[in-house]
Amino acid sequence: VTSDVDLLDLDDDLPVAADALQPMADVEVEVPPDPALPARPDGKRLVLVVDDEPEIRLLVSRTLQAKGYAVETAADGQEAVEKAEAVVPDLVLLDAMLPRLHGFEACRRLKASPRTRQVPVIMMTAIYRGWRFAQDVRESYGAEDYLEKPFRLEDLLRRTESAIDATEARRSSSAEGDAALAKGRELLAAGQLPEAIAALEQATKANAWSADAHYQLGRAWRAKGEHFRAMTALERATELRPHFAALRALAALYEERGFRRKAAEMLERALPVAPDDASRQTVRRELVRHLG
């Protein structure tokens, strides 16, 4: 036990409060709504082109600019995520094989961020080929489309326009999802569980990549006593982003149902994303109890 605890970098003299031995309470997490696209001074749609090969970046950029698009570029996955957060493009053309941060992981982060989750992503790849990869990337990472290299520039332009048009049409649906999430939170706070669950399920359908919508749905199922349904919703929230409150709720749920090792795993994942020192200390105390 000592070696396991040491790995957690715990303070030897850290006092264990009595309430630390109780399941941690749920914490409300406010997530801002999807922002509107920034105004484009020239009125052009903005595409972020991400590829580690300069020749491809140049070729795609010139092709898009000739068709009236504005273009930003990035040479690796980390730069792509940072630039997308800064400019919120209308579309990201994202190569799969990238340095620093893999393209699939960059796509997941874009879709998990409240600022960029509504931005369509077209993955480009010369390695991961076939319809099974394409479907998995759409379902698991949220890519709008999947384009194998080498590709025809006419096909790239057609898919770019189609993806942007489809996303603009869905923005009204996203607004409905935000409204459903707000309504669900209110109903949950009022204890109207069936109505809250219905509203929150609507929110997760409209905004499938909203971690907070899945978290709130998990809270509602847990309040109704549907623990395994709650686990499913909370796990989805933690897949979308390191959601501290969802990880805490999962730890408590897993412990209640006898899955002590899974409970400890959730606490280990919660520790590095704790929002403050008090929360970190509480998580550490819970981990000491589980490892003991």
Side-chain angles (χ1 to χ4, degrees):
V1 172
T2 302
S3 60
D4 287 340
V5 173
D6 287 343
L7 290 175
L8 299 172
D9 192 26
L10 302 177
D11 297 326
D12 293 336
D13 59 348
L14 186 65
V16 179
D19 60 357
L21 302 182
Q22 303 301 320
M24 292 179 284
D26 289 328
V27 175
E28 289 292 329
V29 177
E30 295 289 344
V31 175
D34 296 330
L37 285 173
R40 312 293 186 204
D42 53 9
K44 295 181 178 180
R45 289 168 162 179
L46 175 62
V47 178
L48 175 60
V49 177
V50 188
D51 202 296
D52 60 335
E53 297 186 35
E55 298 83 0
I56 293 180
R57 289 200 307 272
L58 181 60
L59 175 63
V60 173
S61 296
R62 286 180 173 175
T63 300
L64 291 169
Q65 289 167 342
K67 290 296 181 179
Y69 291 95
V71 176
E72 291 278 352
T73 62
D76 61 66
Q78 185 62 41
E79 183 185 6
V81 172
E82 293 170 356
K83 190 162 285 189
E85 286 279 343
V87 303
V88 191
D90 295 271
L91 176 80
V92 179
L93 289 171
L94 182 64
D95 187 39
M97 293 297 293
L98 292 170
R100 295 183 67 195
L101 185 67
H102 194 281
F104 291 164
E105 176 61 18
C107 184
R108 187 195 67 79
R109 293 190 188 183
L110 291 172
K111 291 299 178 179
S113 167
R115 185 164 171 81
T116 57
R117 66 187 178 196
Q118 294 299 324
V119 175
V121 176
I122 296 179
M123 298 294 304
M124 304 182 295
T125 179
I127 304 296
Y128 306 101
R129 308 181 71 83
W131 68 268
R132 291 179 177 86
F133 261 119
Q135 192 63 23
D136 285 343
V137 170
R138 290 187 183 98
E139 293 179 357
S140 299
Y141 293 91
E144 182 77 17
D145 205 349
Y146 194 81
L147 192 59
E148 293 183 1
K149 296 179 180 178
F151 49 77
R152 293 172 57 86
L153 292 175
E154 294 85 352
D155 190 29
L156 175 68
L157 289 169
R158 178 181 59 80
R159 294 189 187 210
T160 295
E161 183 174 1
S162 176
I164 294 176
D165 288 344
T167 301
E168 290 176 351
R170 283 198 302 268
R171 284 189 177 272
S172 59
S173 174
S174 177
E176 293 174 4
D178 290 337
L181 174 57
K183 180 180 179 182
R185 290 172 66 106
E186 292 176 3
L187 291 167
L188 180 57
Q192 297 176 252
L193 297 182
E195 296 84 355
I197 289 169
L200 292 168
E201 285 185 331
Q202 180 184 350
T204 59
K205 289 177 182 176
N207 290 341
W209 296 87
S210 169
D212 197 46
H214 290 280
Y215 166 64
Q216 297 297 339
L217 179 58
R219 293 183 65 234
W221 280 124
R222 183 183 182 189
K224 199 173 185 295
E226 296 279 358
H227 288 176
F228 290 101
R229 287 185 172 182
M231 288 177 190
T232 300
L234 293 169
E235 284 281 9
R236 181 57 179 155
T238 64
E239 289 171 4
L240 292 169
R241 66 179 172 86
H243 197 296
F244 179 70
L247 289 165
R248 287 177 57 178
L250 273 171
L253 270 175
Y254 280 132
E255 182 176 10
E256 289 172 14
R257 306 310 298 178
F259 301 109
R260 291 183 55 82
R261 290 177 178 82
K262 283 295 292 184
E265 177 190 332
M266 295 303 109
L267 291 169
E268 288 171 350
R269 289 173 57 190
L271 187 60
V273 296
D276 50 53
D277 288 338
S279 298
R280 275 189 290 276
Q281 288 188 8
T282 303
V283 173
R284 285 172 173 171
R285 292 176 186 128
E286 283 290 290
L287 273 169
V288 168
R289 181 167 64 86
H290 280 76
L291 293 173

